[in-house]
Amino acid sequence: MTGSILIVTEDEKLLDDLLRLCAAAGAEAEVAHGGPPVPGGWESAPLVLVGDDRAGPLAGAARAPARRPGVLLVGRDLDDPGVWRRGMGIGAEHVVLLPDGESWLTGRIADAAEGAGRQALTVGVMGGRGGAGASTLACALAVTAARAGHRTMLVDGDPLGGGLDILLGGERAEGLRWPAFADSRGRVGGVALEESLPRAHGLRVLSWDRGESAAVPPEAVRAVLGAARRRGGVVVVDLPRRLDEAVAEALAQLDLGLLVVPAELRAVAAAQRIASRVGMVLRDLRVVVRDPSGPGLDGEEIARLLGLRLAGELPAEGGLPAAVDAGRPPGGDARGPLARFCAEFWARALPEGGGARPSGGRGSVAV
């Protein structure tokens, strides 16, 4: 049955365990009994679980199955060094020993059932000082990515920020908000997460409700962002300037971070404190310089003072507050400077963007 996890074992106890793990992961399973798997099943299954009892016969069969990715050898004996040799004999990607490896194996089965491929490019946005415009940039990045056809999720990481769904004009959209995920532990299904969230401007948004702010524990942040990343595409996370355990967990999930800093000396001084603390958790932190057209510091100088790479300079966009009040989100005007900045950023950041990567400069984006 194409699309089902293929289990190859004659060990009834191991089979019971593997079927249980497939059920826990929400995956259908097909069991190959007796000889080698039927032609087509081995090749088409998203994941093949081979019991250690069948590794030797498969490797020595006259018509051994073809080598392919996504084959796991599953055993039980922690003290048997031969299991690794048998795994190599069938071309297994990993050897999993139960019961210790049950949690990892359940996640791997669920990823295969969801068709998980390349994980989402996950970008965090944080203000170098209060009112720097980080939420505006985060929304614009998400809106621009969705407009370009990328699967996009916008995550509001600041319970005190007022709610990104309001900035998107989607506060009345049906769907779950952060408090519904506060008790999440372990693994959250990526498909279920995506389908449960409000939709606005072609993207999914995880924001806060209008009730009292509820702290989300780091375990829930890890589970939710992990599920979002497994769906692929783009994930944008709007982060507060404080660094608590939940924010540190979010930072650990990022591929890169953008620190928004207005072109003012005082803002640079504030951003230095943020950058030093965030840099202890996030290796790839870059600076976006806002409104660099005045007589103050330019982007290259600000990046040098902060010791960060310059991701780009973001010109001012007139009429943006009025547009948001009228229900047009940041980045909604594809010809505006904010949307152009974001489109250029994604063109360089996403793998399919290609092209040379510039070193930065006025009006440009460097990735």
Side-chain angles (χ1 to χ4, degrees):
M1 182 167 47
T2 302
S4 300
I5 306 300
L6 179 62
I7 300 175
V8 183
T9 184
E10 294 294 314
D11 183 331
E12 293 187 2
K13 188 175 187 306
L14 180 61
L15 176 60
D16 287 343
D17 285 339
L18 294 179
L19 289 174
R20 172 175 55 82
L21 296 181
C22 285
E28 296 184 0
E30 177 185 4
V31 182
H33 295 284
V38 296
W42 177 277
E43 293 80 7
S44 63
L47 188 68
V48 179
L49 307 179
V50 179
D52 191 26
D53 64 300
R54 297 297 302 159
L58 282 179
R63 298 181 62 182
R67 298 295 178 98
R68 52 149 290 177
V71 175
L72 308 181
L73 179 63
V74 187
R76 292 185 180 280
D77 191 350
L78 295 171
D79 299 320
D80 179 10
V83 69
W84 310 103
R85 174 180 49 79
R86 293 190 291 275
M88 293 178 61
I90 61 172
E93 285 185 356
H94 295 280
V95 173
V96 188
L97 299 177
L98 303 182
D100 292 13
E102 281 196 2
S103 178
W104 182 90
L105 182 55
T106 303
R108 186 69 174 82
I109 293 171
D111 287 345
E114 290 182 354
R118 176 183 289 159
Q119 288 197 332
L121 176 65
T122 306
V123 178
V125 187
M126 180 179 291
R129 67 155 170 81
S135 295
T136 297
L137 178 58
C139 284
L141 285 168
V143 168
T144 306
R147 184 165 53 230
H150 300 291
R151 169 183 273 139
T152 305
M153 186 178 297
L154 176 62
V155 179
D156 188 349
D158 187 0
L160 303 179
L164 290 186
D165 53 351
I166 295 178
L167 197 54
L168 290 171
E171 62 270 22
R172 296 183 180 178
E174 293 185 0
L176 299 182
R177 267 69 175 179
W178 260 120
F181 300 97
D183 294 329
S184 297
R185 299 292 187 276
R187 189 182 189 282
V188 174
V191 175
L193 172 68
E194 184 178 42
E195 293 179 349
S196 71
L197 297 180
R199 184 177 181 89
H201 305 285
L203 60 96
R204 298 286 182 171
V205 58
L206 175 55
S207 189
W208 298 87
D209 61 13
R210 302 312 144 227
E212 294 184 5
S213 297
V216 173
E219 296 83 1
V221 173
R222 182 187 310 122
V224 169
L225 287 183
R229 286 170 58 82
R230 287 194 301 272
R231 292 298 288 153
V234 166
V235 176
V236 181
V237 187
D238 182 35
L239 293 167
R241 294 168 59 233
R242 67 181 184 278
L243 187 59
D244 57 22
E245 290 185 358
V247 174
E249 183 59 53
L251 290 171
Q253 299 272 359
L254 301 182
D255 294 304
L256 64 94
L258 299 176
L259 185 65
V260 184
V261 181
E264 308 162 358
L265 188 58
R266 186 180 177 188
V268 174
Q272 284 177 327
R273 294 190 290 270
I274 301 296
S276 64
R277 298 186 66 194
V278 172
M280 293 188 293
V281 183
L282 178 62
R283 294 183 59 185
D284 192 354
L285 179 65
R286 311 174 191 185
V287 60
V288 175
V289 177
R290 204 194 75 192
D291 303 340
S293 58
L297 301 171
D298 65 16
E300 293 287 356
E301 180 67 9
I302 291 175
R304 185 189 67 80
L305 290 172
L306 293 175
L308 301 176
R309 290 178 58 187
L310 178 63
E313 297 183 342
L314 181 57
E317 181 166 335
L320 186 58
V324 171
D325 289 342
R328 298 188 297 274
D333 179 4
R335 296 171 296 179
L338 182 56
R340 292 200 306 270
F341 175 94
C342 295
E344 189 177 352
F345 173 84
W346 291 126
R348 285 158 175 77
L350 291 169
E352 58 268 33
R357 293 184 175 185
S359 60
R362 191 171 297 276
S364 70
V365 176
V367 176

